[in-house]
CSV table of all heavy atoms in Angstrom, one decimal:
chain,number,residue,atom,x,y,z
A,15,HIS,N,-22.7,16.5,25.3
A,15,HIS,CA,-24.1,16.9,25.5
A,15,HIS,C,-24.4,17.2,26.9
A,15,HIS,O,-25.5,17.0,27.4
A,15,HIS,CB,-25.1,15.9,24.9
A,15,HIS,CG,-24.7,15.3,23.5
A,15,HIS,ND1,-24.1,16.1,22.5
A,15,HIS,CD2,-24.7,14.1,23.1
A,15,HIS,CE1,-23.9,15.3,21.5
A,15,HIS,NE2,-24.2,14.1,21.8
A,16,ILE,N,-23.3,17.6,27.8
A,16,ILE,CA,-23.6,18.1,29.0
A,16,ILE,C,-23.2,19.5,29.1
A,16,ILE,O,-22.5,20.0,28.1
A,16,ILE,CB,-22.8,17.3,30.2
A,16,ILE,CG1,-21.3,17.4,30.0
A,16,ILE,CG2,-23.3,15.8,30.0
A,16,ILE,CD1,-20.5,16.9,31.1
A,17,ALA,N,-23.6,20.3,30.1
A,17,ALA,CA,-23.3,21.7,30.2
A,17,ALA,C,-21.8,21.9,30.3
A,17,ALA,O,-21.1,21.3,31.0
A,17,ALA,CB,-24.0,22.3,31.4
A,18,HIS,N,-21.4,22.8,29.4
A,18,HIS,CA,-20.0,23.3,29.4
A,18,HIS,C,-20.0,24.7,30.0
A,18,HIS,O,-20.3,25.7,29.4
A,18,HIS,CB,-19.4,23.3,28.0
A,18,HIS,CG,-17.9,23.6,27.9
A,18,HIS,ND1,-17.1,23.8,29.0
A,18,HIS,CD2,-17.1,23.9,26.8
A,18,HIS,CE1,-15.9,24.1,28.7
A,18,HIS,NE2,-15.9,24.1,27.3
A,19,ARG,N,-19.8,24.8,31.3
A,19,ARG,CA,-20.0,26.0,32.1
A,19,ARG,C,-18.9,27.0,31.8
A,19,ARG,O,-17.7,26.7,31.8
A,19,ARG,CB,-20.2,25.7,33.5
A,19,ARG,CG,-21.4,24.8,33.8
A,19,ARG,CD,-21.8,24.8,35.2
A,19,ARG,NE,-22.7,23.7,35.5
A,19,ARG,CZ,-24.0,23.8,35.1
A,19,ARG,NH1,-24.5,24.9,34.5
A,19,ARG,NH2,-24.9,22.8,35.2
A,20,ARG,N,-19.2,28.3,31.8
A,20,ARG,CA,-18.3,29.3,31.6
A,20,ARG,C,-17.6,29.8,32.9
A,20,ARG,O,-16.5,30.2,32.9
A,20,ARG,CB,-18.9,30.6,30.9
A,20,ARG,CG,-19.4,30.3,29.5
A,20,ARG,CD,-19.4,31.6,28.7
A,20,ARG,NE,-20.2,32.6,29.3
A,20,ARG,CZ,-21.5,32.9,28.8
A,20,ARG,NH1,-22.0,32.2,27.9
A,20,ARG,NH2,-22.2,33.9,29.4
A,21,GLU,N,-18.4,29.6,34.0
A,21,GLU,CA,-17.9,29.9,35.3
A,21,GLU,C,-17.1,31.2,35.4
A,21,GLU,O,-15.9,31.2,35.8
A,21,GLU,CB,-17.0,28.7,35.8
A,21,GLU,CG,-17.9,27.5,35.9
A,21,GLU,CD,-17.1,26.2,36.3
A,21,GLU,OE1,-15.9,26.3,36.3
A,21,GLU,OE2,-17.7,25.3,36.7
A,22,GLY,N,-17.7,32.3,35.0
A,22,GLY,CA,-17.1,33.7,35.1
A,22,GLY,C,-16.0,34.0,34.2
A,22,GLY,O,-15.3,35.0,34.3
A,23,GLY,N,-15.8,33.2,33.1
A,23,GLY,CA,-14.8,33.4,32.0
A,23,GLY,C,-15.4,34.4,31.1
A,23,GLY,O,-15.7,35.6,31.5
A,24,HIS,N,-15.6,34.0,29.9
A,24,HIS,CA,-16.1,35.0,28.9
A,24,HIS,C,-17.6,35.4,29.2
A,24,HIS,O,-18.5,34.6,29.4
A,24,HIS,CB,-16.2,34.2,27.5
A,24,HIS,CG,-14.9,33.8,27.0
A,24,HIS,ND1,-13.9,34.7,26.6
A,24,HIS,CD2,-14.4,32.6,26.9
A,24,HIS,CE1,-12.8,34.0,26.2
A,24,HIS,NE2,-13.1,32.7,26.3
A,25,LYS,N,-17.7,36.7,29.4
A,25,LYS,CA,-19.0,37.4,29.5
A,25,LYS,C,-19.8,36.8,30.7
A,25,LYS,O,-21.0,36.6,30.7
A,25,LYS,CB,-19.8,37.1,28.3
A,25,LYS,CG,-19.2,37.6,27.0
A,25,LYS,CD,-19.2,39.1,26.9
A,25,LYS,CE,-18.5,39.7,25.6
A,25,LYS,NZ,-18.3,41.1,25.6
A,26,GLY,N,-19.0,36.5,31.8
A,26,GLY,CA,-19.8,36.1,33.0
A,26,GLY,C,-20.1,34.6,33.0
A,26,GLY,O,-19.7,33.9,32.0
A,27,GLU,N,-21.0,34.2,33.9
A,27,GLU,CA,-21.4,32.8,34.0
A,27,GLU,C,-22.4,32.5,32.9
A,27,GLU,O,-23.0,33.3,32.3
A,27,GLU,CB,-21.9,32.5,35.4
A,27,GLU,CG,-20.8,32.7,36.5
A,27,GLU,CD,-21.3,32.3,37.9
A,27,GLU,OE1,-22.5,31.9,38.0
A,27,GLU,OE2,-20.5,32.3,38.8
A,28,GLY,N,-22.5,31.1,32.7
A,28,GLY,CA,-23.5,30.6,31.8
A,28,GLY,C,-22.9,29.4,31.1
A,28,GLY,O,-21.9,28.8,31.7
A,29,ILE,N,-23.3,29.0,30.0
A,29,ILE,CA,-22.8,27.9,29.3
A,29,ILE,C,-22.3,28.2,27.8
A,29,ILE,O,-22.7,29.2,27.3
A,29,ILE,CB,-23.8,26.7,29.1
A,29,ILE,CG1,-24.9,27.1,28.2
A,29,ILE,CG2,-24.2,26.2,30.5
A,29,ILE,CD1,-25.8,26.0,27.8
A,30,TYR,N,-21.3,27.4,27.4
A,30,TYR,CA,-20.9,27.5,26.0
A,30,TYR,C,-22.0,26.7,25.2
A,30,TYR,O,-22.5,25.7,25.6
A,30,TYR,CB,-19.5,27.0,25.8
A,30,TYR,CG,-18.5,27.8,26.3
A,30,TYR,CD1,-17.7,27.4,27.5
A,30,TYR,CD2,-18.3,29.1,25.9
A,30,TYR,CE1,-16.8,28.2,28.1
A,30,TYR,CE2,-17.3,29.9,26.5
A,30,TYR,CZ,-16.6,29.4,27.6
A,30,TYR,OH,-15.6,30.2,28.2
A,31,TYR,N,-22.2,27.1,24.0
A,31,TYR,CA,-23.3,26.5,23.1
A,31,TYR,C,-22.7,25.4,22.2
A,31,TYR,O,-21.7,25.8,21.4
A,31,TYR,CB,-24.0,27.6,22.4
A,31,TYR,CG,-24.8,28.5,23.3
A,31,TYR,CD1,-24.2,29.7,23.8
A,31,TYR,CD2,-26.1,28.2,23.7
A,31,TYR,CE1,-24.8,30.5,24.7
A,31,TYR,CE2,-26.8,29.1,24.6
A,31,TYR,CZ,-26.1,30.1,25.1
A,31,TYR,OH,-26.8,31.0,26.0
A,32,GLU,N,-23.2,24.3,22.3
A,32,GLU,CA,-22.8,23.1,21.6
A,32,GLU,C,-23.3,23.2,20.1
A,32,GLU,O,-24.5,23.5,19.9
A,32,GLU,CB,-23.2,21.9,22.2
A,32,GLU,CG,-22.7,20.6,21.8
A,32,GLU,CD,-23.2,19.4,22.6
A,32,GLU,OE1,-24.3,19.5,23.1
A,32,GLU,OE2,-22.5,18.4,22.7
A,33,GLU,N,-22.5,23.0,19.1
A,33,GLU,CA,-22.8,22.8,17.8
A,33,GLU,C,-22.2,21.5,17.3
A,33,GLU,O,-21.0,21.2,17.3
A,33,GLU,CB,-22.3,23.9,16.8
A,33,GLU,CG,-22.7,23.7,15.4
A,33,GLU,CD,-22.1,24.7,14.4
A,33,GLU,OE1,-21.2,25.5,14.8
A,33,GLU,OE2,-22.4,24.6,13.1
A,34,VAL,N,-23.1,20.5,16.9
A,34,VAL,CA,-22.7,19.2,16.4
A,34,VAL,C,-22.7,19.2,14.9
A,34,VAL,O,-23.7,19.4,14.3
A,34,VAL,CB,-23.7,18.1,17.0
A,34,VAL,CG1,-23.0,16.7,16.6
A,34,VAL,CG2,-23.8,18.2,18.5
A,35,VAL,N,-21.6,19.0,14.3
A,35,VAL,CA,-21.4,19.0,12.9
A,35,VAL,C,-21.3,17.4,12.5
A,35,VAL,O,-20.3,16.8,12.8
A,35,VAL,CB,-20.1,19.6,12.5
A,35,VAL,CG1,-20.0,19.7,10.9
A,35,VAL,CG2,-20.1,21.1,13.0
A,36,THR,N,-22.4,17.0,11.8
A,36,THR,CA,-22.4,15.6,11.5
A,36,THR,C,-22.4,15.3,10.1
A,36,THR,O,-22.7,16.2,9.2
A,36,THR,CB,-23.7,14.9,12.1
A,36,THR,OG1,-24.8,15.4,11.3
A,36,THR,CG2,-23.9,15.3,13.5
A,37,THR,N,-22.0,14.1,9.6
A,37,THR,CA,-22.1,13.8,8.2
A,37,THR,C,-22.9,12.5,8.1
A,37,THR,O,-23.1,11.8,9.0
A,37,THR,CB,-20.7,13.5,7.7
A,37,THR,OG1,-20.1,12.4,8.4
A,37,THR,CG2,-19.8,14.7,7.8
A,38,ALA,N,-23.5,12.3,6.8
A,38,ALA,CA,-24.4,11.1,6.5
A,38,ALA,C,-25.5,11.0,7.6
A,38,ALA,O,-25.6,10.1,8.2
A,38,ALA,CB,-23.5,9.9,6.5
A,39,GLY,N,-26.2,12.1,7.7
A,39,GLY,CA,-27.2,12.2,8.7
A,39,GLY,C,-26.4,12.3,10.1
A,39,GLY,O,-25.6,13.2,10.3
A,40,PHE,N,-26.7,11.3,11.0
A,40,PHE,CA,-25.9,11.3,12.2
A,40,PHE,C,-25.1,9.9,12.2
A,40,PHE,O,-24.7,9.5,13.3
A,40,PHE,CB,-26.9,11.3,13.4
A,40,PHE,CG,-27.6,12.7,13.6
A,40,PHE,CD1,-28.7,12.9,12.8
A,40,PHE,CD2,-27.1,13.6,14.4
A,40,PHE,CE1,-29.4,14.2,13.0
A,40,PHE,CE2,-27.7,14.9,14.5
A,40,PHE,CZ,-28.9,15.2,13.8
A,41,GLY,N,-24.9,9.4,11.0
A,41,GLY,CA,-24.3,8.0,10.9
A,41,GLY,C,-22.8,7.9,10.8
A,41,GLY,O,-22.3,6.9,11.0
A,42,ARG,N,-22.1,9.1,10.4
A,42,ARG,CA,-20.7,8.9,10.2
A,42,ARG,C,-19.9,9.9,11.0
A,42,ARG,O,-20.4,10.4,11.9
A,42,ARG,CB,-20.4,8.8,8.7
A,42,ARG,CG,-21.1,7.6,8.0
A,42,ARG,CD,-20.5,7.3,6.7
A,42,ARG,NE,-19.1,7.0,6.6
A,42,ARG,CZ,-18.5,6.2,5.8
A,42,ARG,NH1,-19.2,5.7,4.8
A,42,ARG,NH2,-17.2,6.0,5.8
A,43,ALA,N,-18.8,10.4,10.5
A,43,ALA,CA,-17.9,11.1,11.3
A,43,ALA,C,-18.6,12.4,11.7
A,43,ALA,O,-19.5,12.9,11.0
A,43,ALA,CB,-16.6,11.5,10.4
A,44,TYR,N,-18.2,13.0,12.8
A,44,TYR,CA,-18.8,14.2,13.4
A,44,TYR,C,-17.8,15.0,14.2
A,44,TYR,O,-16.7,14.3,14.7
A,44,TYR,CB,-20.1,13.9,14.2
A,44,TYR,CG,-19.9,13.1,15.4
A,44,TYR,CD1,-19.7,13.7,16.6
A,44,TYR,CD2,-19.9,11.7,15.4
A,44,TYR,CE1,-19.6,13.0,17.8
A,44,TYR,CE2,-19.7,11.0,16.5
A,44,TYR,CZ,-19.6,11.6,17.7
A,44,TYR,OH,-19.3,10.9,18.9
A,45,SER,N,-18.1,16.3,14.5
A,45,SER,CA,-17.3,17.0,15.4
A,45,SER,C,-18.3,17.8,16.3
A,45,SER,O,-19.4,18.0,15.9
A,45,SER,CB,-16.4,18.1,14.7
A,45,SER,OG,-15.3,17.5,14.1
A,46,ILE,N,-17.9,18.1,17.5
A,46,ILE,CA,-18.7,18.8,18.4
A,46,ILE,C,-17.9,20.1,18.8
A,46,ILE,O,-16.7,20.0,19.2
A,46,ILE,CB,-19.1,18.0,19.7
A,46,ILE,CG1,-19.8,16.8,19.3
A,46,ILE,CG2,-19.9,18.9,20.7
A,46,ILE,CD1,-20.2,15.9,20.5
A,47,VAL,N,-18.5,21.2,18.5
A,47,VAL,CA,-17.9,22.6,18.7
A,47,VAL,C,-18.6,23.3,19.7
A,47,VAL,O,-19.9,23.3,19.8
A,47,VAL,CB,-18.0,23.3,17.3
A,47,VAL,CG1,-17.3,24.6,17.4
A,47,VAL,CG2,-17.4,22.4,16.2
A,48,TYR,N,-17.9,24.2,20.6
A,48,TYR,CA,-18.5,24.9,21.6
A,48,TYR,C,-18.3,26.4,21.4
A,48,TYR,O,-17.2,26.9,21.3
A,48,TYR,CB,-17.8,24.5,23.0
A,48,TYR,CG,-18.2,23.1,23.3
A,48,TYR,CD1,-17.4,22.0,22.9
A,48,TYR,CD2,-19.3,22.8,24.1
A,48,TYR,CE1,-17.7,20.8,23.2
A,48,TYR,CE2,-19.7,21.5,24.3
A,48,TYR,CZ,-18.9,20.5,23.9
A,48,TYR,OH,-19.3,19.2,24.1
A,49,HIS,N,-19.4,27.1,21.2
A,49,HIS,CA,-19.4,28.5,20.9
A,49,HIS,C,-19.7,29.4,22.1
A,49,HIS,O,-20.5,28.9,22.9
A,49,HIS,CB,-20.5,28.8,19.9
A,49,HIS,CG,-20.3,28.3,18.5
A,49,HIS,ND1,-19.6,28.9,17.5
A,49,HIS,CD2,-20.7,27.0,18.0
A,49,HIS,CE1,-19.6,28.2,16.4
A,49,HIS,NE2,-20.2,27.0,16.6
A,50,LEU,N,-19.3,30.6,22.1
A,50,LEU,CA,-19.6,31.6,23.2
A,50,LEU,C,-21.2,32.0,23.0
A,50,LEU,O,-21.8,32.1,23.9
A,50,LEU,CB,-18.7,32.9,23.0
A,50,LEU,CG,-19.1,34.0,23.9
A,50,LEU,CD1,-18.9,33.5,25.4
A,50,LEU,CD2,-18.2,35.1,23.6
A,51,ARG,N,-21.6,32.1,21.8
A,51,ARG,CA,-23.0,32.5,21.5
A,51,ARG,C,-23.7,31.4,20.6
A,51,ARG,O,-23.0,30.7,19.8
A,51,ARG,CB,-23.1,33.9,20.9
A,51,ARG,CG,-22.4,35.0,21.7
A,51,ARG,CD,-22.5,36.3,21.0
A,51,ARG,NE,-21.8,37.3,21.9
A,51,ARG,CZ,-20.5,37.7,21.9
A,51,ARG,NH1,-19.8,37.1,21.0
A,51,ARG,NH2,-20.1,38.6,22.6
Side-chain angles (χ1 to χ4, degrees):
H15 320 317
I16 65 171
H18 185 7
R19 300 193 189 285
R20 294 208 300 263
E21 295 177 347
H24 298 293
K25 304 289 181 189
E27 294 187 357
I29 62 165
Y30 294 111
Y31 294 88
E32 192 178 23
E33 179 186 6
V34 184
V35 181
T36 70
T37 61
F40 292 84
R42 295 195 62 152
Y44 64 94
S45 287
I46 301 179
V47 182
Y48 294 88
H49 292 269
L50 176 61
R51 301 181 177 88

